[in-house]
Every structure is written in structure tokens, then in C-alpha cells.
Amino acid sequence: MMNIGISVEINTPIKQVWHAMATDFSNIANWYSPVVKSYELHDTPRLSGAPCSGRICEFTEDKMGLKAAERITHYDEINKRLEVKVDIFNAKKATVIRGNHASFQLSEISPARTLLTFRAKPDLKFLGLLLSPLLHMTLCSQFMDMLNAFKQHSESLRSRN
């Protein structure tokens, strides 16, 4: 099984980063450009304290295009931890990933700085297993792009307050 772990430091207080990451979970399309449209997932129960049960991410304008359903499986506001199960659908047959299990953990570095640690365990199809060394590098790069976009978004919110 592939395991990915990456981190980014965000120059924003942990409370504001948590709000942007967890409370505003369904609005990823507002700050991550590969997601064309995102909205709340309504077909699963909401965990206690969670703002929603998850989100749908659409990656194309095509109604039958690639989508991901990200269901929140763990929500801990006190310890600033969020976990999601990602299911991919409307993917082409050559897709090498079925889905993903991901976690987001925030840690306070200082009153004005937060560490975001992201961990992923992609569920690979057979071809993905064969290509796993290359796929690992590609996914690390894509996940780092997502974290950097989130960092920029979080820091822009800080400058507004």
C-alpha cells in the first residue's frame, strides 16, 4: 500500500486555518483551481460537530466528467484533525486509482503559525501498483500543489482580518 506524508507551514493562527479547512470544507473550488465546482455531499450522515458529511469535487464542466466524493470519516475540532474517504467516479478505464484515505492534522507552531500535515493512502488499481514509484512522485507533487494553494488561501484570509 502506498503512503504519502507531506507538510506545509501556514502563517495564520490555527483557529483560522481550521475554519478554512474544516468548517468551510465543501468550498474547495474557491481556492484549488483543478476543482471546477464543489458542493456539500448530502447522501451520508454528518458526524457530530462536522459542518457537513463531505463534499463532491467536479474536475470538468462535463456533467459526466471526473468527480470525487469526499466523505468525512473523522472530525475532531479539539485536536484539529480531519479524515476523509475519497471515492472517484466517472473516471476513464485507464485510471490507476480507485480512491484515497486522507487525513489533515493541524499543529500550532506559534500563535501566528500553523503546521498542516497531510497523509494519504491511495487505493491503487493493478496498473497503479505497477506504476507506483512514478505514481508516488506524481501524487506527492499534486498533493503539495493542493497544500500550497490552501496555504495561500489561508494566508489571504488572515490579511483580510
Side-chain angles (χ1 to χ4, degrees):
M1 175 176 271
M2 183 183 298
N3 290 299
I4 296 171
I6 53 177
S7 298
V8 66
E9 290 185 17
I10 302 171
N11 296 312
T12 304
I14 194 169
K15 185 176 178 181
Q16 288 178 296
V17 176
W18 177 256
H19 179 81
M21 181 182 74
T23 306
D24 201 25
F25 183 76
S26 63
N27 292 315
I28 188 173
N30 292 344
W31 55 266
Y32 188 49
S33 63
V35 178
V36 173
K37 182 179 178 184
S38 63
Y39 45 91
E40 189 173 330
L41 178 66
H42 293 289
D43 66 349
T44 57
R46 180 183 304 195
L47 296 180
S48 176
C52 61
S53 61
R55 66 184 171 207
I56 300 290
C57 298
E58 296 184 7
F59 298 95
T60 70
E61 296 287 342
D62 180 4
K63 293 286 184 202
M64 295 307 295
L66 180 64
K67 293 182 174 114
E70 301 181 358
R71 185 173 42 87
I72 297 172
T73 58
H74 182 84
Y75 186 89
D76 184 346
E77 185 170 4
I78 293 169
N79 294 302
K80 307 295 188 255
R81 184 173 180 83
L82 177 70
E83 296 178 18
V84 296
K85 181 180 184 301
V86 181
D87 292 308
I88 298 170
F89 55 102
N90 295 346
K92 295 184 165 93
K93 290 186 190 255
T95 302
V96 295
I97 299 174
R98 284 187 193 92
N100 189 20
H101 295 272
S103 67
F104 303 83
Q105 176 71 56
L106 300 182
S107 305
E108 186 174 73
I109 298 170
S110 73
R113 293 179 62 217
T114 302
L115 178 68
L116 168 56
T117 302
F118 173 81
R119 299 195 185 288
K121 293 181 181 181
D123 181 13
L124 304 178
K125 294 182 179 179
F126 180 73
L127 183 58
L129 293 171
L130 293 176
L131 298 172
S132 63
L134 179 61
L135 187 58
H136 187 273
M137 289 188 321
T138 302
L139 288 174
C140 282
S141 176
Q142 290 175 344
F143 290 142
M144 197 68 226
D145 288 347
M146 178 185 70
L147 292 190
N148 283 326
F150 180 74
K151 170 185 169 73
Q152 184 176 25
H153 172 68
S154 295
E155 290 175 354
S156 74
L157 295 174
R158 179 180 185 199
S159 65
R160 289 184 215 161
N161 291 335

